[in-house]
Every structure is written in structure tokens, then in C-alpha cells.
Amino acid sequence: METPSQAKAMLLVEPKRLRCHQLPIRPPDHGGWLAIEANGISGADVQIWKGGRADVVYPLVLGHQVVGRIASTDGSLPHEIGTRVVVEPELHCGVCSRCRLGISGCRHRRPINSYGRLPSTEPPGLWGGLAEYLYLDPSSRTHVVSDDITAELATFVHPLAAGYTWAVELPLLQSGQTVMVLGPGPRGLGCVIAAMGAGAAWVGVSGLDVDGDRLEVASRLGAKLTVNATTEDVPAAVADHLGTRPDVVVDVTSDDPEAMFTALDLVRSGGTVILASTKGNRPVHFFSDLIVQKQLTVKGALGASSAAYTWAASQIATDPRLDDLVSHQFPLEESSRALQAAAGMLGHDELISVAVTF
Ligand SMILES: [Zn+2]
């Protein structure tokens, strides 16, 4: 596979303004290059595209849910040229305090050492999935994914891995336990698949009135209850159906402070709440005595573990129920429309998840 001297990239030069540029592909001193096949669009990408993240430095190449083939390597990557991999978004310097603690959010590069977040002024510039090539930093973590599935489906490894970390690993989910997922987006659906796969006895999902198609998919994937939170009282609906309170509640909503109250209210005493959604960088006031009185475990979740990626890359290739989860595809030049679609601006009918494919 010959690596060209430059790559087409959709640069986000300011909120909502994408420009097509050619960026140089320099032979790296370390690491390698990935020829991108597809990139999944996430809610976080939409947030940055809209200008809703204060820490973002423009211009940058968006996209952190990348699938591609190894195009060149200095030998530090454990793959041969042509191997198809998914790339974990996070990079790890290994020496900063967060890396040493084994938690997400390495600050070795600013504002955050992660694909789709670094400005393109940081050499070698190609740090995002909305481009033909991605620089493979030597610290990048890659997972081989089957050649037998489509590239767009392979992007779903990313939300599936997040679902595994959030609904299984962090709450230490046991077989036979019950899980309520707030939010039926790709990561919420990932939570459903992962929790069912880990032997959960019952999984429920809530969404808004625009989420009808996603809730239907959740049912198909094994959710025992789906709730329209726009018209129904979620705790009452869960109590009616389950007859008790769930062991685990995962908040995977998009920028919805109310969901946190619902989660704390809904979960059983001694249960676990996983907060996997940010609230627009705004303070949220809540009744903290509830955590004490119910003796809850509350964990913040950011990103997915490497073990979760390994599980998800295997699951995606073997579970035919997942084949239709990427509902919308756009070419690179139509990245703006892809972001609009993921934001629900092109309508919610049949919207499950969105990918840009090459
Ligand atoms: Zn670090």
C-alpha cells in the first residue's frame, strides 16, 4: 500500500464551518499512517461542530471513531501493512498523572491528547477521522477488526466498546442483575448489547419522543422495556414493569441535567449510577443526601477500556443483529451533512447512527 504525499481533510476552521484542505503526509519519525475507511459521528463531534466546547482549539480535523487499514509503519505498530483496525480515540503519554493512574484524559498534548480533539496546528496535523489518512502516534492503541464486515459497521465498535465499559465494567455488572439505560443513542444501544451479553436479567431504555426508531432497535436487541420520557414518567414505568428498582442506572443522555436526578431517584438502595454524559459544562444542583441515604455508588465514565475494545471488535463480527445499526452514510465531502444528520437536523426517521465512509 503506497502512502501518498498528501491527504484530503475536512478542516473545522470555526463552529459549523468545514473546509476541504489537502494536508501533507510526512514520513513520521515514529508511528505510522492509517488509510481511513470510515469514521463514525458521535454526539461529542456534534457538540464541537456546533461550538459547544470551550476547550477546543481551531482548526481541527473532527472524528475519533476511526476504522482503517495500516498504510505505513516504522515498525512500532504490532500490525502488517493492510491490516484493518479500529483506533482507540485516546492517546497515552504514559508519564502524566492521569496516565500513571490509568484514567482517561491524558494532557500530554493540549487541549486533550485524543484523536478528533487536537488542533491541526499540532504536527503532523492529521489527528481526526474526517480525512483520508490518520497519523498513528506510537502510543495509539489499535484493535484488528474483521474484513468480513462493512467499514461503516466496523465504526460501531466504538459505541459498543463504550457500552461495555459503562454498563458492564464500571458497575461490575453481575449475571442476573438489572440495568436501566437513560438515552438510546449509539452508546446507549451499546450499553444494551453489552449488558445483555454479560447476562443481565433485565435491561430497560428511555428516550425522547423523537427516539422512536432507536427505542424500537433497543427492543430488538433485547431491552425488556422502552420508555418515552417525553410523555411518560420513567421511574413509574420502570416500577410498573420491573416491580422493583434496577441495580444499575447508566446516564447516556445528551446534555440533559434532569437525567442525573432520574438516575439517582430510579436506582435501588446500594445500587450503582454511572454518569457517562456531560451537562454542557454547567453546574447542576441536586440533593446529595439521596446518595448518602441510598448508599449509592456514583461513577463518572469517560471513554472505553482496551479490554472493552477487544470485546466489541469480536462481538461486531459475530452478532448479525448489529448489521443495521449504522443507518446513515455520507462521503467525506458531505461531512457537514453527516454532522447535521447526527444532530437530528435532517430528521429522526430511521436515525440510529451516522458514519462518513471513503
Ligand atoms: Zn499522559
Side-chain angles (χ1 to χ4, degrees):
M1 196 182 284
E2 193 70 17
T3 310
S5 61
Q6 52 182 15
K8 196 188 288 178
M10 298 304 289
L11 268 187
L12 185 65
V13 292
E14 61 180 38
K16 294 197 175 175
R17 259 189 72 208
L18 286 172
R19 272 214 201 131
C20 190
H21 277 259
Q22 295 283 344
L23 296 185
I25 299 178
R26 298 193 182 89
D29 297 337
H30 307 288
W33 288 96
L34 185 83
I36 299 178
E37 291 187 299
N39 177 80
I41 305 289
S42 78
D45 293 321
V46 169
Q47 221 180 7
I48 293 174
W49 172 69
K50 285 180 170 173
R53 287 280 286 262
D55 60 344
V56 166
V57 179
Y58 300 96
L60 79 162
V61 183
L62 273 178
H64 60 107
Q65 304 196 114
V66 183
V67 176
R69 290 182 188 276
I70 306 288
S72 67
T73 167
D74 68 348
S76 63
L77 301 165
H79 308 293
E80 290 180 13
I81 305 294
T83 307
R84 181 190 243 187
V85 295
V86 289
V87 185
E88 290 186 32
E90 291 175 25
L91 299 165
H92 309 264
C93 72
V95 292
C96 77
S97 58
R98 284 178 177 237
C99 283
R100 277 185 285 134
L101 285 167
I103 62 173
S104 295
C106 172
R107 295 287 197 266
H108 173 66
R109 295 188 185 91
R110 296 283 170 173
I112 186 161
N113 199 11
S114 172
Y115 287 118
R117 300 290 182 277
L118 289 167
S120 55
T121 47
E122 172 81 35
L126 287 160
W127 294 103
L130 294 183
E132 291 173 325
Y133 281 79
L134 181 79
Y135 171 57
L136 288 173
D137 183 271
S139 76
S140 59
R141 295 176 180 170
T142 49
H143 301 265
V144 176
V145 65
S146 170
D147 286 325
D148 298 336
I149 61 171
T150 61
E152 66 269 18
L153 178 59
T155 64
F156 207 84
V157 167
H158 292 276
L160 195 54
Y164 189 81
T165 291
W166 301 350
V168 177
E169 289 182 321
L170 289 176
L172 308 172
L173 187 72
Q174 304 292 311
S175 177
Q177 285 195 309
T178 55
V179 181
M180 183 67 194
V181 180
L182 309 180
R187 283 171 165 68
L189 295 174
C191 289
V192 174
I193 298 161
M196 296 301 296
W202 182 96
V203 178
V205 190
S206 67
L208 303 175
D209 51 3
V210 293
D211 292 323
D213 288 328
R214 282 175 166 169
L215 290 175
E216 210 178 290
V217 168
S219 293
R220 245 183 16 235
L221 292 170
K224 301 273 198 292
L225 170 73
T226 60
V227 189
N228 178 347
T230 308
T231 55
E232 292 174 77
D233 181 71
V234 176
V238 172
D240 278 353
H241 193 270
L242 183 59
T244 177
R245 292 170 181 275
D247 299 302
V248 175
V249 179
V250 190
D251 173 11
V252 205
T253 56
S254 172
D255 194 8
D256 176 8
E258 284 296 318
M260 196 183 72
F261 307 132
T262 303
L264 295 172
D265 175 33
L266 193 57
V267 73
R268 73 160 163 84
S269 290
T272 300
V273 170
I274 303 296
L275 299 177
S277 100
T278 52
K279 308 302 178 193
N281 213 18
R282 295 186 303 271
V284 175
H285 301 282
F286 71 100
F287 180 58
S288 66
D289 286 359
L290 198 60
I291 296 175
V292 179
Q293 285 156 0
K294 290 178 76 173
Q295 299 159 71
L296 302 179
T297 302
V298 179
K299 289 186 181 178
L302 194 65
S305 72
S306 293
Y309 267 91
T310 302
W311 175 83
S314 153
Q315 189 72 15
I316 202 92
T318 52
D319 187 345
R321 297 175 310 154
L322 312 184
D323 287 355
D324 303 326
L325 289 180
V326 180
S327 56
H328 290 53
Q329 276 184 69
F330 297 88
L332 179 63
E333 294 75 14
E334 291 181 29
S335 294
S336 287
R337 279 177 58 77
L339 286 152
Q340 289 168 9
M345 293 161 71
L346 304 182
H348 288 86
D349 280 354
E350 294 174 13
L351 174 64
I352 310 300
S353 70
V354 179
V356 167
T357 49
F358 295 74

